[in-house]
């Protein structure tokens, strides 16, 4: 009786391990496509345009690649851009613009954008992904996620 119980338990455990793997194995029909809007607060015409323009183009190209290759099934990525001209007075305007266009997340290369919009983004529930970091962002991250490490 003991060996039958162990064999039965092994079968049940094997089934329990396989069932979660089958969740992704369904029909190829997509019922609903979720659109994720990425707001890009960038500099296309200001003093940082030489660095930021290729980064913005790369973001758009990468999102288009993900969409066309179907790398995220059921998800469509859309990028909406706002040219801040690397002018701090335009950061808030850019935030309002991409938010009005439905931004689910904001991308920026400028830590100043993240620092100035951290509180508003936290209130609105819109995460900001920043390519670089500062002490202020590390000490009070709020809604900001920094990609670069800060050396202290």
């Amino acid at each position: 009786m003991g060996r039958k119980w162990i064999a039965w338990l092994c079968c049940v455990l094997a089934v329990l391990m396989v069932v979660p793997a089958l969740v992704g194995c369904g029909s190829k029909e997509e019922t609903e496509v979720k659109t994720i809007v990425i707001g890009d607060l960038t500099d296309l015409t200001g003093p940082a345009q030489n660095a930021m323009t290729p980064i913005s183009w790369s973001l758009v190209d990468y999102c288009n690649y993900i969409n066309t290759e179907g790398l995220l099934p059921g998800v469509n990525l859309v990028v909406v851009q706002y040219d801040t001209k690397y002018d701090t007075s335009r950061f808030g305007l850019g935030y309002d613009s991409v938010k009005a266009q439905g931004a689910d997340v904001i991308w920026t290369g400028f830590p100043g954008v993240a620092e100035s919009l951290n509180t508003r983004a936290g209130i609105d529930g819109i995460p900001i992904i920043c390519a670089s970091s500062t002490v202020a962002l590390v000490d009070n991250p709020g809604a900001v996620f920094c990609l670069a490490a800060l050396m202290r």
Side-chain angles (χ1 to χ4, degrees), residues 21-35:
L22 296 176
V23 171
C25 300
S27 65
K28 295 291 182 179
E29 297 177 28
E30 293 184 22
T31 56
E32 185 177 333
V33 175
K34 167 74 174 151
T35 299

Side-chain angles (χ1 to χ4, degrees), residues 104-149:
D104 297 304
V105 63
I106 294 176
W107 158 260
T108 185
F110 308 127
V113 170
E115 287 177 3
S116 65
L117 300 176
N118 192 357
T119 303
R120 290 176 67 186
I123 292 169
D124 294 336
I126 300 174
I128 298 175
I129 300 172
C130 187
S132 53
S133 61
T134 63
V135 172
L137 291 175
V138 171
D139 290 345
N140 181 26
V144 177
F145 299 88
C146 299
L147 300 180

Side-chain angles (χ1 to χ4, degrees), residues 42-60:
T42 188
D43 177 8
L44 299 174
T45 58
Q49 70 177 338
N50 290 339
M52 293 309 298
T53 300
I55 293 172
S56 293
W57 290 345
S58 298
L59 176 63
V60 172

